[in-house]
Amino acid sequence: MVLLNQFGTDMVACLFMVVMLPIVYIYELGTVLPTIHPAHTIGFYLHIVAATYVLATIFGNLFLILRTDTTTHATGVILPSILKKGWRFCSYCEYNAPPRSFHCHQCNKCILKRDHHCVFTGNCVGYANHRYYLSMIVWICLGTLYSNILNFDYTWEVLGGLTWRSLFSMVLPLVSWLFGVTHAFTFYVALVSSLCVIVFFLMVALVVYHSMLISKGQTVFELNHKIKDYNYGWKANITEALGKNWYLAWINPLIPSPLPGNGIDWPKGIGPEEVKDM
């Protein structure tokens, strides 16, 4: 896949994430951390290492989401000219697409086991990069949790304690700054802190949602259309999405975790009664 297939909403959303992640990183290490651990102490350096690893892992997964080819041509397999059972003809690409593959109008390509189009990466999440997407949102969730823990005492101290003014500044930092309720630095602290809180809860919801889908062997489309044909049991479903080393794959994007299938052939899964017995 090429970097950022669209230059509208996708570009703005992706640039926002790419810019804000380093800003939060610099804020936490340059502004908040020195108030907790003095510079050049063991605690100070441990936090730098931890925060740097989190940031590098997020960007590593983002890069691999962007650079991994998720299209139906990625496997190198010649697609059949005869429409097979369970396949569909794509009138946009003008060839037969395998089961679970759908055309993305943003990417303008058919995507293997298409899950959804992610506006913050400007690319589709599909068979080949599903692992990197889930790992990225997991690490953003952990990173914002880490930031919120660091920020808690410092933010309320800067905002002047738990008052209506501080609450207003946290909920609407830009409005409070424009109306003179807060000064520029207080606005900066409130903006970053409130952003970390919002993103944390958003990421928790996304991690739970996509983990549930993966464990059930479903994509977003299949959930919405109540399709349950590809449930192989929770462990096999996770392996299909995250690879054979799924229990390690989330730790770092460089850890090899080969996928067991080819993204084209999808046998029917086990029935609901068999799932209950597992």
Side-chain angles (χ1 to χ4, degrees), residues 176-197:
S176 64
W177 177 53
L178 291 175
F179 282 90
V181 177
T182 59
H183 300 295
F185 180 72
T186 308
F187 159 70
Y188 172 59
V189 171
L191 178 65
V192 176
S193 300
S194 60
L195 183 65
C196 288
V197 173

Side-chain angles (χ1 to χ4, degrees), residues 4 43 45 52 74 102 120 141 147 154 177 196 199 236-237 252 271:
L4 293 176
Y45 288 121
T52 302
F102 291 94
F120 284 97
C141 182
S147 297
Y154 179 80
W177 177 53
C196 288
V199 173
N237 292 337
N252 191 285

